[in-house]
Amino acid sequence: MDDASMKLKQKQPRRYVVSRKLDAFFFDVYAFGQFIARFFRNLFLPPYEFKEVVHQCYMVGVKSLPLITLTGFITGIVFTKQSRPSLSEFGATSWLPSLVAIAIIRALAPLVTGLITAGKVGSNIGAELGSMKVTEQIDAMEVSATNPFKFLVVTRVIATTCMVPLLMLYMALVALLGAFVNVHANEQTSFILFIENGFQSINFLDLFSSVLKSVVFGFTIGIVSCYQGYTTTQGTQGVGRAANTSVVLAMFLIFIEEIIIVQVVNWFRIT
Amino acid sequence: MAKSNTHIIDRTKRVISIRGLHKSFGTNHVLRGIDLDIFQGENVVVLGRSGTGKSVLIKIIAGLLKPDSGSVNVLGNDVERISYRELEKLRLRIGFSFQSSALYDSMTVRENLEFPLLRNSKHLSTQQVRQAVEKALDAVGLSQTINQWPGELSGGQRKRIGIARTLIMQPAIMLYDEPTAGLDPITSMEINDLINEVQERFNTSSIIITHDLTCAKSTGDRVAVLLDGRFVKQGSFEEVFTSGDERIKSFYDYNFIT
């Protein structure tokens, strides 16, 4: 098989440098690095699978809309409801739209969208590619003169990288709508006034950092789940493990990336 | 039932030539110096117990696995030395029927058959693609399944559709990986007949990997027995199983008694 990452994953060290588990971990990290490098090599080489990219964008984006809508709306309502008592103590309920807008756009929308997409799309990709791997469908694609890496991996990673930011913006809007519903029920504020108040505290850096985070989260979800699925071994048990690991690892990395990006953006904000 | 020889084998033209092939997985040395020639129009059955490297052999021929050493020449191309683009072109002339059929679950039978055509024969019109799909399905006798999903098909039907998907590109070489595994005797006989029909209708050369002696007898012009990573005997079915080699004899006895 020309799949270098697959070989590396299977290759077990005979003599352990540190310990069996630690050596295997570093082999896995190295194989994952090779997989990412292979993605970027294939990304710029023709043929370009535009049709499949559009199909995957539909699967990742449009199919996630109901879940994103529901979670976004609930997030908006709950966050506003929880924040109200604290602000009431200081007689600052008029700051509620600003507080909610900052929280949603800076933190909640990217993080919640990332986690929801990791759960829904990540597990889907991990299981689908894993199943294709163990039932030889990937080999079948290869022998029918189609580059399976390009067709299956590159298209899905592009789709998640492009669609997660769009889903994040959509979720932010829905969450703000949810917040407005709560504010309107208590203060009879108009939607225009709510949005005006809310966006007074939002600047370009807030929006840019959220989009940047979402792009990174989308890429992470795509590449992690494709790697787990594409390198699945050990039959149906392996498929379950691939789906599970895709979600857990993607979520873990999303939190790490969130911390790093927030630190960098805050540094820019101060300077 | 023994195979009827109505087709012509051109013994001057080698379509596959393998020399000194070795392949290991970790400490497991699977293939230990394989030499094999397949001639134009010939069906060669590779017999052997599970885990002896039969499937590995055809995966190396199709370029899915890389050998550790040795040479594999397919239709004049050294599989190890050609570029990925050239390998893709070569693969269009090789049909690979997988043990698990490997039909794409997310596509209907029609889409499964269209897939290789749409990607590799972009000059064809929609009408020509449709005709090719119908012709390939007709060749395997499953025209009625065209709009079904792979999950709705029986094991035998899946095998046939898998073969139809490879036939659609009109390959010169067919590689069958355990074509009758997991099938009942009647369906197995139908698959054996289909393999012979493909050989006669499309003049293909084939390697059939199996441990089913009925399949070997009814489809093979030549049988090669793979034991411990080497071919221990090659010849017609009768020649191989009357050779007196105890290892082959026990394989024969076990297969027919069980």
Side-chain angles (χ1 to χ4, degrees), chain A residues 1-2 7 14 45-47 49 128 131-132 134-148 151, chain B residues 26-27 59 62 64-66 84-85 88 91-92 94 96 98-100 102-105 115-116 119-120 165 177:
Chain A
M1 198 180 297
D2 74 329
K7 277 183 177 176
R14 286 172 204 161
L45 288 173
E49 308 281 358
E128 187 184 12
S131 165
M132 288 184 79
V134 300
T135 56
E136 298 179 305
Q137 289 176 53
I138 292 179
D139 283 346
M141 204 168 271
E142 191 149 11
V143 293
S144 63
T146 296
N147 182 343
F151 189 80
Chain B
T27 53
K59 284 189 175 178
L64 289 171
L65 289 172
K66 288 189 190 299
Y84 188 74
R85 285 282 156 85
E88 279 193 331
R91 280 170 174 164
L92 292 174
I94 302 173
F96 199 122
F98 287 85
Q99 186 175 353
S100 59
L103 298 180
Y104 308 127
D105 293 330
F115 186 81
R119 301 191 60 79
N120 300 300
R165 189 176 61 186
D177 191 3

Side-chain angles (χ1 to χ4, degrees), chain A residues 21 36 96 134 138 170:
Chain A
K21 282 189 176 175
I36 295 172
L96 203 52
V134 300
I138 292 179
Y170 173 74

Side-chain angles (χ1 to χ4, degrees), chain A:
Chain A
M1 198 180 297
D2 74 329
D3 186 351
S5 307
M6 179 70 194
K7 277 183 177 176
L8 280 164
K9 198 182 182 186
Q10 287 176 338
K11 204 171 177 180
Q12 293 298 319
R14 286 172 204 161
R15 284 180 194 166
Y16 308 124
V17 180
V18 187
S19 71
R20 186 175 64 85
K21 282 189 176 175
L22 209 58
D23 283 15
F25 169 76
F26 284 114
F27 263 84
D28 219 22
V29 170
Y30 179 64
F32 185 47
Q34 294 281 87
F35 191 82
I36 295 172
R38 192 178 171 195
F39 165 79
F40 283 109
R41 269 201 309 275
N42 278 273
L43 180 64
F44 300 107
L45 288 173
Y48 306 108
E49 308 281 358
F50 290 118
K51 208 174 159 188
E52 184 60 15
V53 169
V54 172
H55 174 68
Q56 290 304 325
C57 283
Y58 173 80
M59 297 303 286
V60 173
V62 180
K63 295 267 182 179
S64 301
L65 280 179
L67 193 60
I68 293 289
T69 308
L70 188 71
T71 47
F73 195 75
I74 292 171
T75 304
I77 289 181
V78 170
F79 186 78
T80 315
K81 217 172 170 59
Q82 297 285 1
S83 305
R84 181 179 294 282
S86 307
L87 289 178
S88 291
E89 274 184 38
F90 302 100
T93 46
S94 59
W95 288 4
L96 203 52
S98 301
L99 175 76
V100 169
I102 288 171
I104 288 173
I105 290 171
R106 277 192 194 171
L108 286 175
L111 194 61
V112 175
T113 309
L115 296 177
I116 295 281
T117 317
K120 187 187 179 295
V121 178
S123 60
N124 194 6
I125 293 175
E128 187 184 12
L129 296 195
S131 165
M132 288 184 79
K133 180 78 188 173
V134 300
T135 56
E136 298 179 305
Q137 289 176 53
I138 292 179
D139 283 346
M141 204 168 271
E142 191 149 11
V143 293
S144 63
T146 296
N147 182 343
F149 192 90
K150 211 175 237 305
F151 189 80
L152 299 171
V153 175
V154 175
T155 55
R156 279 164 175 77
V157 178
I158 291 174
T160 53
T161 310
C162 294
M163 295 317 287
V164 172
L166 294 179
L167 287 172
M168 182 278 294
L169 291 173
Y170 173 74
M171 178 181 246
L173 284 175
V174 175
L176 284 173
L177 192 67
F180 168 72
V181 168
N182 186 275
V183 169
H184 182 73
N186 289 280
E187 273 104 15
Q188 308 298 317
T189 318
S190 74
F191 186 66
I192 303 289
L193 189 62
F194 174 81
I195 292 293
E196 267 181 10
N197 278 347
F199 275 82
Q200 264 173 7
S201 323
I202 301 295
N203 56 33
F204 173 75
L205 191 60
D206 293 325
L207 210 59
F208 176 77
S209 69
S210 290
V211 172
L212 176 72
K213 270 194 257 182
S214 301
V215 169
V216 174
F217 294 167
F219 177 77
T220 305
I221 294 163
I223 202 81
V224 166
S225 50
C226 282
Y227 174 71
Q228 292 300 329
Y230 204 79
T231 55
T232 299
T233 51
Q234 298 169 0
T236 47
Q237 206 178 19
V239 177
R241 200 168 34 242
N244 185 265
T245 315
S246 299
V247 178
V248 174
L249 192 59
M251 284 184 174
F252 175 72
L253 290 175
I254 282 172
F255 281 114
I256 302 279
E257 288 160 358
E258 168 80 20
I259 294 168
I260 295 168
I261 294 171
V262 164
Q263 291 298 323
V264 173
V265 170
N266 280 350
W267 182 79
F268 272 107
R269 215 186 289 280
I270 293 162
T271 55

Side-chain angles (χ1 to χ4, degrees), chain B residues 92-113:
Chain B
L92 292 174
R93 303 181 66 197
I94 302 173
F96 199 122
S97 169
F98 287 85
Q99 186 175 353
S100 59
S101 306
L103 298 180
Y104 308 127
D105 293 330
S106 57
M107 301 180 194
T108 62
V109 168
R110 180 197 291 279
E111 290 164 342
N112 260 282
L113 268 68

